[in-house]
Amino acid sequence: MRSDLMKKGLERAPHRSLFKAMGYTNEEIGRPIIGVVNSANEIIPGHIHLRIIADDVKAGIRLAGGTPVEFPAIGVCDGIAMGHTGMKYSLATRELIADSVESMAMAHPFDALVMIPNCDKIIPGMLMAALRLNIPAIFVSGGPMLAGKLKGKPIDLISVFEGVGKVKAGKISQKELNAIEDCACPGCGSCSGMYTANSMNCVTEALGLGLPGNGTVLAVHAARRRLAKEAGMKIMQLLKKDIKPRDIATLAAFKNAIAVDMALGCSTNTVLHIPAIAHEAGIDLDLGLFNEISKKTPNLCKLSPAGVHHIEDFDAAGGIQALMKRIHPLGVIDEQALTVTGKPVGENIKMAEVLDAEVIRSLDNPYIKEGGLAILKGNIAPEGCVVKQSAVAENMLVNEGRARVFDAEDDAIQAILGGKIKAGDIVVIRYEGPKGGPGMREMLGPTSAIAGMGLDTTVALLTDGRFSGGTRGAAIGHISPEAADGGPIALVQEGDIIAIDIPKKKITLKVTPEEFKKRKKEWKPKAPAITTGYLARYAKLVTSASTGAVFKD
């Protein structure tokens, strides 16, 4: 056993003594020692209950003959960090989480790991660590939140964000917004739509590193606790069979996950995280693969913010396993890919069934014929950018407008809420990329303001930053290279005409090559926004969004 390095033999008597100081018996020390990585905290709704999930995981490990040893991981709540300097730290914590899990698992050689994440950067950070370490590992999330209810209709966190714009536009009163605020988030769990947290939990299941149900079983359902116990027991089987993360997360598995991503219409952040996770597995995922799979995979689900359904509806309709079975005939699912069940995908989905054909539509009745995400390229984004095309109004799929340029998110929000952005404008927010931010802030504030002001069908937004999974509308992010690297987005000027053609995967700044050269010659790097602490180091190490914003090798 790997843990013998810290517990077996004469020389390890001091180590055993330290275990005994914590109350471990000789019998417990002699068993396989399983690290339980728990990201519980009291600042994220999706994590507030994870101590219960961890206790259930540990019960499962003990039932199967192992000794669980719990240690923590940090986590940022993107919703609470949104709209201020705190959001600069969110993406950057992904690398901290991966590094800290690696550090703990190397300093204390656990035989296997159970990862308990539930929200945005925590999930990919732990996935990166699991593939980097490549010791037996399984993921069990804390599960999604129920949707809120107001006057008989479902609402969620995005209802609150967009409500701010509606108050500014005079569409609802402050009293009405207070009512929305009070019931949009009814309890624990990752926010109830197909936002980044739920997108990544679903991707984890589709990738094969989470048990069936990992992405969709609700946080408040007893089935979530049973799933946690099952994960604890299952890790002992994975250890016995020596099934490691890289045995599961192969190129075929990543393609399966991307196909599910497209059919679901997941967060644009998946385009940032999936390549970063693959990088840790030694797999180079070009952004073109997303478009390639999208062409074969129709968008069959419209969950909030793209539609009215929520994760609870998707779970009741059959969840990830039913969706994988639905799209399997298209040839986009490799049924031989191994999963943490110990069985291949084909066996897992055999008994799955779609129980609601409106939530998971049939192949001949898709919401759109291509997948939910699209990668665009052009002279403003030669390395690519991403849009959730399933959440774009039809009239905005092909669009041309006047650039309104801002060098920071905060300035753009003031202009939007101040009524300075008009129909037909294209808001450009730059110097918000991985280096320029630094930290690549999510732009839920401006996109929600645009939607709340009733401009989401007439105004597009471009940024070298990124978007929350809760964003809807013609919001195009991850423009690469970023402005801080001298990318073409740094050369856009107020009033320039920008043409967007999502069906043709093109985005074009309508200036002549000669004008481009002139502007490039005149461009001067902007002083770093933060020059001390972790983010200053992060800005020096991080690479382009087009490569997953991983650190330089």
Side-chain angles (χ1 to χ4, degrees):
M1 290 189 292
R2 189 170 180 268
S3 61
D4 285 349
L5 290 169
M6 62 179 173
K7 69 183 185 184
K8 191 174 182 180
L10 176 67
E11 295 83 359
R12 297 297 179 256
H15 304 62
R16 292 191 296 273
S17 180
L18 290 168
F19 271 101
K20 289 174 180 178
M22 296 178 281
Y24 292 99
T25 64
N26 282 328
E27 184 177 9
E28 287 175 302
I29 296 168
R31 293 175 178 177
I33 296 182
I34 312 299
V36 177
V37 191
N38 186 5
S39 56
N41 60 45
E42 296 181 351
I43 193 66
I44 309 178
H47 293 229
I48 194 72
H49 64 304
L50 291 189
R51 288 181 181 85
I52 298 170
I53 300 298
D55 285 344
D56 290 329
V57 164
K58 290 187 284 187
I61 291 169
R62 291 189 184 100
L63 281 168
T67 296
V69 176
E70 182 182 340
F71 64 90
I74 64 167
V76 167
C77 178
D78 280 24
I80 294 173
M82 195 73 65
H84 56 88
T85 303
M87 179 46 74
K88 292 177 182 285
Y89 286 83
S90 175
L91 177 61
T93 64
R94 186 186 72 179
E95 317 308 312
L96 287 176
I97 291 163
D99 289 351
S100 62
V101 173
E102 175 199 359
S103 298
M104 287 293 289
M106 293 303 293
H108 316 97
F110 300 109
D111 294 301
L113 295 170
V114 181
M115 308 283 198
I116 310 175
N118 209 31
C119 291
D120 298 43
K121 300 325 135 327
I122 299 95
I123 305 159
M126 287 190 185
L127 283 164
M128 290 164 69
L131 286 161
R132 188 184 300 172
L133 289 161
N134 201 35
I135 61 175
I138 191 170
F139 283 70
V140 56
S141 76
M145 184 187 292
L146 282 162
K149 290 286 192 299
L150 183 64
K151 297 179 181 178
K153 293 182 179 180
I155 60 171
D156 53 37
L157 179 63
I158 305 308
S159 308
V160 193
F161 271 101
E162 293 184 0
V164 175
K166 289 180 180 180
V167 171
K168 290 279 187 179
K171 295 183 177 183
I172 63 172
S173 67
Q174 180 66 55
K175 184 178 179 181
E176 288 173 299
L177 178 59
N178 291 345
I180 296 170
E181 174 188 329
D182 285 346
C183 58
C185 300
C188 66
S190 46
C191 295
S192 59
M194 189 48 72
Y195 315 140
T196 304
N198 289 325
S199 293
M200 288 310 304
N201 281 327
C202 288
V203 162
T204 302
E205 183 179 335
L207 192 58
L209 289 169
L211 291 170
N214 177 71
T216 61
V217 173
L218 290 170
V220 295
H221 282 185
R224 174 59 59 178
R225 296 191 62 181
R226 296 196 298 272
L227 190 69
K229 290 177 184 176
E230 193 179 338
M233 291 185 281
K234 189 63 69 175
I235 192 61
M236 299 305 294
Q237 292 181 25
L238 294 173
L239 176 61
K240 185 177 181 181
K241 295 178 180 179
D242 195 31
I243 297 175
K244 300 183 180 76
R246 292 191 191 182
D247 299 324
I248 294 168
T250 61
L251 179 58
F254 279 104
K255 288 180 177 180
N256 285 350
I258 293 171
V260 167
D261 187 348
M262 294 301 162
L264 266 178
C266 290
S267 164
T268 52
N269 281 313
T270 59
V271 176
L272 198 64
H273 297 316
I274 290 174
I277 297 160
H279 177 76
E280 296 290 351
I283 298 169
D284 183 20
L285 279 189
D286 185 85
L287 288 185
L289 185 61
F290 286 84
N291 278 345
E292 182 184 317
I293 294 173
S294 177
K295 286 179 183 177
K296 304 174 188 175
T297 315
N299 178 225
L300 302 181
C301 305
K302 266 194 183 291
L303 308 182
S304 179
V308 298
H309 300 131
H310 289 80
I311 300 294
E312 61 199 76
D313 304 308
F314 180 53
D315 184 58
I320 294 297
Q321 303 302 307
L323 181 63
M324 293 181 83
K325 186 173 183 178
R326 178 74 97 196
I327 62 177
H328 177 258
L330 299 172
V332 295
I333 296 296
D334 187 331
E335 61 181 3
Q336 299 305 315
L338 185 62
T339 72
V340 288
T341 64
K343 301 174 184 177
V345 167
E347 286 191 44
N348 291 344
I349 66 174
K350 193 177 292 182
M351 301 305 292
E353 184 180 354
V354 173
L355 302 174
D356 188 329
E358 185 57 28
V359 177
I360 305 175
R361 288 195 170 185
S362 61
L363 296 178
D364 59 3
N365 184 37
Y367 283 102
I368 58 175
K369 292 180 180 179
E370 289 191 357
L373 303 180
I375 307 299
L376 314 182
K377 287 191 175 183
N379 65 350
I380 193 174
E383 290 179 6
C385 54
V386 62
V387 62
K388 185 188 277 195
Q389 61 181 345
S390 60
V392 178
E394 191 172 350
N395 67 295
M396 293 293 285
L397 292 171
V398 179
N399 179 41
E400 192 170 292
R402 181 174 66 111
R404 304 297 310 280
V405 184
F406 303 92
D407 285 352
E409 175 190 9
D410 313 78
D411 297 337
I413 292 174
Q414 285 182 18
I416 296 163
L417 294 178
K420 295 179 181 178
I421 303 301
K422 308 298 181 184
D425 286 348
I426 295 182
V427 176
V428 177
I429 305 176
R430 62 192 179 192
Y431 295 100
E432 290 285 8
K435 290 182 184 178
M440 204 179 185
R441 285 196 282 185
E442 287 187 343
M443 302 289 166
L444 183 57
T447 58
S448 294
I450 286 170
M453 298 284 282
L455 297 171
D456 55 302
T457 59
T458 58
V459 170
L461 192 154
L462 314 183
T463 182
D464 54 6
R466 61 195 179 91
F467 297 112
S468 162
T471 289
R472 62 185 173 94
I476 299 170
H478 306 192
I479 288 182
S480 302
E482 62 175 292
D485 269 341
I489 190 173
L491 310 180
V492 181
Q493 294 181 1
E494 186 81 7
D496 281 348
I497 301 301
I498 297 174
I500 299 165
D501 192 331
I502 295 173
K504 291 184 179 179
K505 312 295 186 288
K506 290 182 179 180
I507 182 166
T508 307
L509 176 62
K510 288 194 161 184
V511 299
T512 64
E514 292 74 23
E515 177 65 17
F516 244 130
K517 287 180 183 178
K518 178 187 172 188
R519 294 183 187 181
K520 182 68 175 176
K521 191 175 181 180
E522 295 172 350
W523 177 79
K524 294 179 181 178
K526 193 178 177 187
I530 294 176
T531 58
T532 59
Y534 174 55
L535 281 186
R537 298 196 303 275
Y538 179 86
K540 290 178 181 178
L541 292 171
V542 72
T543 60
S544 171
S546 63
T547 57
V550 297
F551 279 177
K552 295 173 186 175
D553 289 329

